[in-house]
C-alpha cells in the first residue's frame, strides 16, 4: 500500500522526474520495513512464533536475493516484474481462499535447508523488487510445506528485516549517482518520506503481531488473502 500512495504523493508535488517515482517509492517502502519488521519480529518472538530451526536458512536466502535485486533496480523492467508478481499473488490469494480441509491435512515436508535457501532467494529478490517485506510470498511458500500459519508469519516478519537491510543497501548503492543527501535522498531512498512512515508504523506493527497471535488461523488466511488481492489490483492499475 505504501508504494502506490507514496508514488501519487511524489508525482503530485513534482518531487522528482516521473520515470524515477516508482523506484524511489519502492526503495523508500523497503527501507521503512527495516524498522517495522524489527518491531513486529520482536513481538512475534515474544509470542514464540519465530521458528528458529529454519529461520537462519530462510534469512540467508532472502538476503542474497534482496541484495541482487536492489543493485539491479535501475536496470530491470520494473513494470514487467510488477505484472508477473501481481498475477502470482492473485493465484496465491485464490489458493488460500479456496483451500479446503483436505489441503490442510496434506503434510508436505520441508525441503533440505540448501534447497529452502534457493526458494527463499527468489522470494527475497521479488520482495525487494517491489518494496515489500516478503510475507506476500514467503508465508504461502512456508505454509505450502506445512509450516503452521502463525510460525510462517513470524518467520516472514524476521526475514523482513534481512530483506529490507540488504535490499536497501542495493537501492542506496544503485541510486547514489542520481541523488544526493542534500536533496534528501540516500540513493533511491527518500529520507523525509521514510521518517514519516517510520514514526507511525513503528507503533502499529506490534498490534498486527498481537492480532496474529490471538486470531484463528482461518481468519488470518482470509485477511491475508484479501490484502494480497488489494496489492495485486494496485499493481495492475498503477
Amino acid at each position: 500500500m505504501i508504494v502506490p500512495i507514496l508514488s501519487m504523493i511524489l508525482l503530485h508535488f513534482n518531487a522528482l522526474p516521473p520515470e524515477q517515482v516508482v523506484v524511489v517509492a519502492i526503495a523508500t517502502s523497503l527501507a521503512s520495513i527495516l524498522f517495522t519488521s524489527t518491531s513486529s519480529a520482536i513481538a512475534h518472538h515474544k509470542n514464540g512464533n519465530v521458528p528458529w530451526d529454519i529461520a537462519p536458512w530462510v534469512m540467508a536466502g532472502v538476503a542474497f536475493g534482496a541484495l541482487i535485486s536492489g543493485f539491479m533496480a535501475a536496470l530491470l523492467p520494473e513494470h514487467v516484474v510488477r505484472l508477473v508478481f501481481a498475477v502470482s499473488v492473485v493465484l496465491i490469494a485464490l489458493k488460500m481462499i479456496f483451500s479446503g480441509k483436505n489441503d490442510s491435512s496434506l503434510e508436505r515436508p520441508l525441503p533440505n535447508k540448501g534447497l529452502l535457501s534457493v526458494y527463499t532467494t527468489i522470494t527475497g529478490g521479488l520482495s525487494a523488487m517491489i518494496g515489500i517485506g516478503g510475507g506476500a510470498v514467503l508465508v504461502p511458500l512456508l505454509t505450502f510445506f506445512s509450516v503452521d500459519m502463525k510460525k510462517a508469519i513470524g518467520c516472514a516478519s524476521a526475514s523482513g528485516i534481512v530483506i529490507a537491510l540488504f535490499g536497501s543497501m542495493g537501492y542506496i548503492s544503485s541510486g547514489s549517482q542520481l541523488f544526493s543527501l542534500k536533496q534528501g535522498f540516500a540513493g533511491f531512498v527518500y529520507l523525509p518520506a521514510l521518517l514519516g512512515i517510520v514514526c507511525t508504523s513503528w507503533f502499529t506493527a506490534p498490534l498486527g503481531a498481537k492480532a496474529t497471535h490471538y486470531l484463528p488461523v482461518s481468519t488470518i488466511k482470509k485477511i491475508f488473502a484479501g490484502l494480497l488481492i488489494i496489492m495485486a489490483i494496485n499493481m495492475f492499475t498503477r
Side-chain angles (χ1 to χ4, degrees), residues 4-19 21-22:
I5 293 173
L6 183 54
S7 296
M8 288 187 291
I9 293 172
L10 292 173
L11 283 172
H12 178 75
F13 289 101
N14 295 314
L16 64 161
E19 63 272 14
V21 163
V22 173

Side-chain angles (χ1 to χ4, degrees), residues 50-67:
V50 181
W52 290 111
D53 55 329
I54 63 170
W57 297 91
V58 173
M59 294 166 81
V62 297
F64 184 64
L67 185 62

Side-chain angles (χ1 to χ4, degrees), residues 97-181:
I97 291 172
F98 294 109
S99 60
K101 295 182 179 180
N102 292 333
D103 292 334
S104 61
S105 64
L106 180 61
E107 290 289 331
R108 300 184 185 90
L110 276 167
N112 65 70
K113 292 181 171 62
L115 186 57
L116 181 62
S117 293
V118 172
Y119 289 150
T120 55
T121 296
I122 299 171
T123 299
L126 285 171
S127 300
M129 216 172 274
I130 60 169
I132 62 174
V137 182
L138 189 55
V139 171
L141 174 67
L142 293 176
T143 54
F144 177 81
F145 290 114
S146 303
V147 176
D148 177 75
M149 171 64 79
K150 294 178 181 179
K151 299 286 186 183
I153 293 175
C155 187
S157 179
S159 298
I161 301 172
V162 179
I163 293 173
L165 176 61
F166 284 85
S168 295
M169 288 169 56
Y171 279 108
I172 291 171
S173 177
S174 61
S176 60
Q177 296 180 347
L178 298 175
F179 301 104
S180 66
L181 282 173

Side-chain angles (χ1 to χ4, degrees), residues 67-86:
L67 185 62
I68 294 174
S69 180
F71 273 111
M72 298 179 67
L75 303 175
L76 292 173
E78 182 271 339
H79 65 283
V80 174
V81 177
R82 173 162 39 93
L83 182 62
V84 171
F85 190 80

